[in-house]
Amino acid sequence: MAANLALMTLVLLVVTAVYLRELDAGLLFAAAMTLLEMALLTAFATLFAVLTRPMLGSVFTLAVFVIGHVSEDIWLLTRHVHGGLVRPLVAAVYAVLPNLERFNFKTEVVHDLGISSGQVALTVIYGLAYTALVLVLACARFRSKDLV
């Protein structure tokens, strides 16, 4: 996936350099953040591969992708829900699943908006720590499997 992303980024850089006659380094930054998001999703795919069957693991990974990109919107919708089981359930999902929109700096890069270094540092730490945690869980589950 990293090689595919690198190839797509290279093509994008060449196309923008030809049309704009300048090289935009922000595109490399956006690609790096996308790579970090893909690493986190790959960690979840690995975890689901050792927990479930392949098809179910694929569905769960897709669910993490979708929920991870809309988690903030879902959280905002819970403010309009009063009582019941919905709010605690959404809070639990919001706490457990990653917020993948944190890795999305495409708008800032395309529109030349400022990106704080603190926000970038927190996003990188968040991504690496979350990926490491999910991979540790996958390794622990894999070690407990009987392969004989």
Side-chain angles (χ1 to χ4, degrees), residues 40 68-69 71-72 94 97-103 126 130:
L40 180 54
H69 277 288
S71 63
E72 285 185 27
Y94 184 78
L97 294 180
N99 181 356
L100 298 179
E101 278 300 307
R102 295 185 85 160
F103 303 103
Y126 174 80
Y130 215 125

Side-chain angles (χ1 to χ4, degrees), residues 39 53 55 62 64 74 119 125 133 135:
R53 299 191 182 275
M55 186 58 134
L62 178 63
V64 168
I74 293 172
Q119 182 184 7
I125 291 169
L133 176 68
L135 286 176

Side-chain angles (χ1 to χ4, degrees), residues 42-116:
T42 303
F44 269 101
T46 304
L47 175 65
F48 295 142
V50 297
L51 289 176
T52 63
R53 299 191 182 275
M55 186 58 134
L56 197 55
S58 299
V59 170
F60 286 162
T61 304
L62 178 63
V64 168
F65 175 78
V66 171
I67 293 170
H69 277 288
V70 297
S71 63
E72 285 185 27
D73 298 329
I74 293 172
W75 181 251
L76 291 174
L77 284 175
T78 61
R79 292 183 179 180
H80 302 290
V81 175
H82 301 290
L85 191 62
V86 173
R87 182 175 266 183
L89 181 65
V90 171
V93 169
Y94 184 78
V96 171
L97 294 180
N99 181 356
L100 298 179
E101 278 300 307
R102 295 185 85 160
F103 303 103
N104 188 0
F105 289 95
K106 296 173 195 90
T107 303
E108 290 86 349
V109 169
V110 168
H111 296 290
D112 252 348
L113 302 175
I115 303 170
S116 73

Side-chain angles (χ1 to χ4, degrees), residues 16-30:
T16 55
V18 166
Y19 283 107
L20 299 178
R21 302 210 191 308
E22 67 182 41
L23 190 62
D24 189 2
L27 295 175
L28 290 174
F29 167 72

